[in-house]
Amino acid sequence: MALLHIDNLHAAADEKPILNGISLTVNAGEVHAIMGPNGSGKSTLAQVLAGHEAYDVTAGSISFAGEDLLDMEAEERAWAGLFLAFQYPVEIPGVSNAYFLRQGYNEIRKARGLDELDPIDFYDLLEEKLKVVEWGPEIMERAVNFGFSGGEKKRNEILQMAVLEPKLAILDETDSGLDIDALRIVANGVNTLRGPEKAIIVVTHYQRLLNYIVPDFVHVIAGGRIVRSGGKELALELEEKGYEWLTSEAAVA
Amino acid sequence: MSSSVEHLVSREYKYGFVTDIEQETAAVGLSEDTVRFISAKKEEPEWLLEWRLKAYRRWLEMTEPHWPNVNYPPIDYQGSTYYAAPKNQKPLGSLDEVDPKLLETYEKLGIPLSEQKMLAGVAVDAIFDSVSVGTTFKATLAKAGVIFCSFGEAVKEHPDLVRQYLGSVVPANDNFFAALNSAVFSDGSFVFIPKGVRCPMELSTYFRINAANSGQFERTLIIAEEGASVSYLEGCTAPKRDENQLHAAVVELVALDGASIKYSTVQNWYAGDENGVGGIYNFVTKRGKAMRDAKISWTQVETGSSITWKYPSVILQGDNAVGEFYSVAVANGRQQADTGTKMIHLGRNTRSTIISKGISAGEGQNSYRGQVKIMPGAEGARNYTQCDSMLIGNRCGAHTFPYIDVRNASSDVEHEASTSKIGEDQIFYCKQRGLNTENAISVIVNGFCKEVFRELPMEFAVEAQKLLGVSLEGSVG
Ligand SMILES: Nc1ncnc2c1ncn2[C@@H]1O[C@H](COP(=O)(O)OP(=O)(O)OP(=O)(O)O)[C@@H](O)[C@H]1O
Ligand SMILES: [Mg+2]
């Protein structure tokens, strides 16, 4: 059974249609890349999957791990193992990274009937996970994303992902704004999460990332639809030709 | 915002119960006779009666202030009772003699009065309507030379100290509500820390309004002699009633040379219902005087009351004196808060810090009003003010009224202000990480208030955080 099954999804914000019939199946163990022009609906798809209330689903259905995803609150989706690395991570002043992450981690454990970790045990776990992003412990005392550089925010998303160990991770342009070393670190972080039980959706504009995180499938979204799907070669083709040949093709079709 | 939060609206005010106990009350209304009645009930000396009467006569000539940014119907000062006390109360009795119903009440409020059950290291004075029910750990404190008792008891046992300091910081005619309090004040706490003594435990007073249709007018006086130090905390609750009740307290702090007083408040009076019916009018005058090298620090977490009018202030009289004000004020539902501080710099190199966090939710209106005054003699004085407002939802309001009056050019006054809206995006981000809406708001708001909470004594910081969570429940809708 597919981990994620999206069927004919239509979504709108303020009555303006953004997604116009997306269908996509992601199985455990797979990595899917989503590409497409600015404003085509990639982030909207990610936000709808995560349960953002600004978007109304006007048609279609989504199942996740056998459950009706659209029936769940955003936090229930997190409990079920869905993680979104935000294109624009949010700042929460005054709340330490460590505290924030422990709250989320324990809520997810509670929802799964597991015991909460106390701050000391959690700290041990954190120490392990910090290695994934090659960070020292200082960062954990800083307020969540507050005053972080753009690249640090993205790296923090990967740290959170590493701690929460989701079944499905959706990375929305996590590679944008990263320097070369950070890109390698983020990609390594993502690769440590790969596994036969898990799946990843990477939204990106750059083939470069896909050299590190090699996708099984590449999809192109334009105008709120998937206009082309293929293997990893499709990304190389896009790098060469841009999107226009696809969008005009779609317009004709 | 989210419909899922709507059902969280109106979690019950859990301190809203009434204790059914026989009361002894003064006749409704206010006159010189009322003042005499109260003074006689408390078996006060003649000088104190005269002091009250003088205050009463001044009050008659004063008018209620209407400059605060709050709205309420006219108060009928003749329609309320100015003294209410549980019957069968032996004012100076030990805790064993206290009416079990009263002990039960405090137990229910989470303030057990038997010393075995108490928080270690915290002594409590429990005030029920107009009288003190009892004070714990008196003996332990006495060993250190610390006096901690009800105000009424201090008048009897330590009349010279009371006479010397009463009205020395807040004169009886200071303002309309202070004058009213000076005329009819009931009970409150008295603290005296002798020279060089560091008070061995936290002191705390728990105020409870129980009687219907009565006002509460407590009076607190804290004196720290040269080099002494004390940390004091007050908590307040009241039953849910449909009428508004007036609470006009006066608190005076005296910090002599090198002394330090830390005064923390967790105010959770009944706030009225979602339509604005009932609730406490909290009109309070709090002020401290800091002599040379002394420090006075006010920390307040104001979550209750339908109207709050309160400006804990410091007169920085001596050189190098330090004044601090850390405040979290919440206005949710129909609550209105007009609160802030005054820092009056008189001495050289005096320093003051003001950190104010206003949270407005529902239809709440929150105003920060603060005055920083640097007098000509305050060479090298410094003030730092930071005033942050957070709005939750679209129907509430935040207002700031800073007054800065600098009369010495060598001083340095800095003011920063910000207003933010608790964002849907912040809440969504938290939810995506597994927090439900309620936890998300609580985490975000507690982060916003962090600089204030870390000033609270450990034991109470956790309580304050929880309280804030509860008082904001259902605020996003
Ligand atoms: N909450 C919203 N309200 C109104 N319009 C929105 C909202 N969210 C997205 N849109 C609009 O929907 C379209 C798709 O936006 P989206 O962010 O999904 O694009 P994207 O494919 O992620 O683009 P980019 O590559 O630039 O990140 C845009 O025109 C955008 O302005
Ligand atoms: Mg995007």
Side-chain angles (χ1 to χ4, degrees):
Chain A
M1 183 192 54
L3 179 60
L4 177 74
H5 186 74
I6 305 172
D7 187 30
N8 190 31
L9 180 68
H10 287 69
D14 294 333
E15 295 181 12
K16 171 190 160 199
I18 303 174
L19 301 182
N20 302 304
I22 299 241
S23 295
L24 177 67
T25 299
V26 176
N27 292 300
E30 292 176 353
V31 174
H32 291 240
I34 293 182
M35 307 183 80
N38 292 135
S40 58
K42 303 181 297 295
S43 292
T44 301
L45 174 61
Q47 302 267 334
V48 168
L49 287 172
H52 199 299
E53 293 180 0
Y55 302 98
D56 300 314
V57 172
T58 50
S61 65
I62 309 174
S63 77
F64 177 63
E67 294 193 64
D68 181 355
L69 194 73
L70 295 175
D71 222 25
M72 296 155 85
E73 281 280 330
E75 65 270 29
E76 292 171 323
R77 301 179 193 202
W79 302 341
L82 186 145
F83 179 92
L84 170 62
F86 285 61
Q87 182 173 3
Y88 305 107
V90 178
E91 299 186 355
I92 311 179
V95 179
S96 82
N97 235 348
Y99 178 80
F100 178 69
L101 206 40
R102 184 162 57 86
Q103 295 295 307
Y105 182 80
N106 278 333
E107 287 299 323
I108 291 172
R109 282 182 69 98
K110 257 200 303 200
R112 295 177 187 168
L114 300 168
D115 285 340
E116 297 182 35
L117 283 197
D118 62 35
I120 297 173
D121 289 342
F122 184 71
Y123 191 82
D124 290 343
L125 174 87
L126 259 186
E127 262 192 330
E128 270 318 296
K129 301 296 181 179
L130 278 164
K131 289 183 193 151
V132 173
V133 289
E134 300 180 24
W135 256 347
E138 318 78 54
I139 199 85
M140 298 320 293
E141 294 318 311
R142 287 179 59 182
V144 181
N145 295 324
F146 187 68
F148 282 32
S149 74
E152 284 170 341
K153 284 181 182 171
K154 298 297 177 77
R155 206 147 140 191
N156 204 21
E157 295 291 284
I158 296 303
L159 172 66
Q160 299 189 8
M161 179 191 78
V163 171
L164 300 178
E165 295 191 322
K167 284 198 192 108
L168 173 66
I170 304 159
L171 312 180
D172 192 356
E173 292 198 30
T174 306
D175 55 331
S176 296
L178 293 183
D179 65 37
I180 296 162
D181 289 334
L183 182 69
R184 177 186 49 78
I185 290 168
V186 161
N188 283 345
V190 173
N191 284 328
T192 57
L193 183 83
R194 289 181 85 152
E197 318 272 87
K198 295 177 174 162
I200 298 167
I201 297 176
V202 276
V203 175
T204 182
H205 285 295
Y206 307 107
Q207 149 65 23
R208 194 181 54 166
L209 177 73
L210 304 180
N211 290 334
Y212 293 99
I213 307 171
V214 182
D216 301 296
F217 301 95
V218 176
H219 311 276
V220 179
I221 292 189
R225 284 189 195 85
I226 293 182
V227 293
R228 173 72 59 113
S229 295
K232 61 174 190 270
E233 345 52 71
L234 178 56
L236 288 166
E237 201 176 346
L238 291 169
E239 183 105 317
E240 203 178 304
K241 301 207 248 170
Y243 292 117
E244 208 179 324
W245 60 286
L246 282 175
T247 44
S248 50
E249 230 172 71
V252 174
Chain B
M1 200 167 285
S2 140
S3 60
S4 63
V5 267
E6 301 261 297
H7 76 276
L8 295 171
V9 176
S10 73
R11 149 98 63 109
E12 286 289 293
Y13 177 68
K14 77 177 191 200
Y15 308 101
F17 64 90
V18 177
T19 307
D20 183 14
I21 194 158
E22 250 195 286
Q23 298 275 352
E24 180 170 28
T25 54
V28 171
L30 181 54
S31 65
E32 289 207 3
D33 286 344
T34 320
V35 177
R36 288 177 200 281
F37 173 87
I38 294 169
S39 189
K41 269 283 153 216
K42 303 180 110 35
E43 301 165 10
E44 287 176 353
E46 191 58 28
W47 68 264
L48 190 50
L49 173 62
E50 280 311 314
W51 194 82
R52 285 176 179 276
L53 287 170
K54 213 168 126 195
Y56 175 69
R57 289 171 199 140
R58 282 307 307 272
W59 178 74
L60 288 175
E61 296 160 7
M62 299 170 97
T63 48
E64 196 182 302
H66 288 291
W67 47 261
N69 188 26
V70 297
N71 288 302
Y72 54 93
I75 297 173
D76 176 11
Y77 291 93
Q78 296 301 337
S80 155
T81 305
Y82 288 81
Y83 181 84
K87 259 193 184 147
N88 312 321
Q89 166 75 5
K90 299 174 190 70
L92 299 183
S94 84
L95 281 170
D96 313 335
E97 294 170 57
V98 172
D99 187 325
K101 264 191 188 162
L102 288 176
L103 292 181
E104 224 172 87
T105 301
Y106 283 92
E107 193 96 27
K108 230 165 134 180
L109 294 169
I111 321 282
L113 292 179
S114 75
E115 294 187 0
Q116 301 83 347
K117 289 194 203 159
M118 295 227 21
L119 276 174
V122 183
V124 178
D125 185 21
I127 312 270
F128 191 85
D129 290 331
S130 298
V131 294
S132 168
V133 169
T135 310
T136 63
F137 292 111
K138 261 183 165 159
T140 319
L141 290 168
K143 260 185 232 147
V146 171
I147 303 170
F148 179 40
C149 63
S150 73
F151 200 91
E153 193 177 337
V155 169
K156 291 199 169 105
E157 309 281 312
H158 313 282
D160 295 345
L161 283 174
V162 175
R163 198 168 181 175
Q164 183 182 350
Y165 290 107
L166 178 67
S168 68
V169 186
V170 180
N173 60 0
D174 186 78
N175 67 68
F176 181 84
F177 294 113
L180 178 62
N181 174 287
S182 300
V184 301
F185 71 85
S186 37
D187 218 335
S189 297
F190 178 84
V191 176
F192 177 81
I193 319 286
K195 206 169 171 167
V197 171
R198 166 183 282 270
C199 186
M201 49 196 351
E202 295 273 346
L203 304 183
S204 106
T205 299
Y206 195 88
F207 294 102
R208 174 74 176 168
I209 296 179
N210 185 63
N213 197 27
S214 75
Q216 182 155 345
F217 305 91
E218 83 264 354
R219 185 105 200 169
T220 294
L221 176 55
I222 299 180
I223 303 144
E225 281 196 331
E226 290 81 356
S229 70
V230 61
S231 167
Y232 175 94
L233 183 121
E234 63 171 355
C236 333
T237 58
K240 286 168 87 155
R241 296 190 186 280
D242 289 344
E243 323 84 55
N244 294 106
Q245 283 178 282
L246 179 61
H247 170 259
V250 172
V251 175
E252 296 180 275
L253 309 183
V254 179
L256 297 184
D257 291 358
S260 150
I261 301 176
K262 182 175 174 63
Y263 191 109
S264 314
T265 303
V266 177
Q267 184 265 109
N268 187 24
W269 296 119
Y270 178 51
D273 69 9
E274 64 281 9
N275 299 315
V277 176
I280 302 291
Y281 290 167
N282 192 32
F283 299 155
V284 170
T285 306
K286 291 181 163 172
R287 193 176 304 151
K289 196 194 273 183
M291 306 310 285
R292 191 164 47 81
D293 300 320
K295 174 174 172 181
I296 288 180
S297 179
W298 298 101
T299 304
Q300 61 173 21
V301 177
E302 304 279 322
T303 61
S305 296
S306 58
I307 299 180
T308 295
W309 178 97
K310 185 180 165 192
Y311 316 92
S313 306
V314 184
I315 302 169
L316 299 142
Q317 184 144 331
D319 295 349
N320 313 319
V322 175
E324 295 174 341
F325 175 73
Y326 298 97
S327 170
V328 167
V330 179
N332 191 8
R334 295 285 184 89
Q335 283 177 285
Q336 309 173 59
D338 191 304
T339 183
T341 184
K342 280 192 234 172
M343 293 289 174
I344 315 290
H345 292 254
L346 296 167
R348 280 174 300 161
N349 299 318
T350 43
R351 275 176 294 140
S352 63
T353 304
I354 300 171
I355 308 283
S356 161
K357 303 280 180 176
I359 300 160
S360 315
E363 292 173 49
Q365 294 296 326
N366 211 327
S367 302
Y368 165 80
R369 188 182 302 276
Q371 184 180 46
V372 176
K373 202 169 187 168
I374 314 276
M375 299 307 278
E379 203 64 31
R382 271 177 293 154
N383 163 266
Y384 173 73
T385 300
Q386 182 188 328
C387 183
D388 300 322
S389 308
M390 179 175 265
L391 300 170
I392 305 178
N394 297 321
R395 291 167 300 152
C396 54
H399 318 270
T400 15
F401 304 97
Y403 305 91
I404 299 170
D405 179 1
V406 177
R407 305 189 194 171
N408 184 309
S410 70
S411 62
D412 183 11
V413 174
E414 205 180 325
H415 182 97
E416 284 178 24
S418 78
T419 301
S420 56
K421 223 167 143 75
I422 197 166
E424 263 182 76
D425 284 339
Q426 278 179 327
I427 294 177
F428 177 60
Y429 190 69
C430 293
K431 284 166 75 100
Q432 210 309 296
R433 298 304 184 247
L435 279 65
N436 63 26
T437 308
E438 202 176 322
N439 287 344
I441 292 175
S442 160
V443 162
I444 295 164
V445 171
N446 279 307
F448 175 70
C449 300
K450 185 179 176 190
E451 291 145 290
V452 175
F453 284 159
R454 71 172 172 220
E455 296 297 324
L456 285 173
M458 260 296 268
E459 298 88 332
F460 301 104
V462 178
E463 268 313 299
Q465 289 191 19
K466 274 194 218 144
L467 185 59
L468 197 61
V470 171
S471 62
L472 283 174
E473 252 165 43
S475 55
V476 183

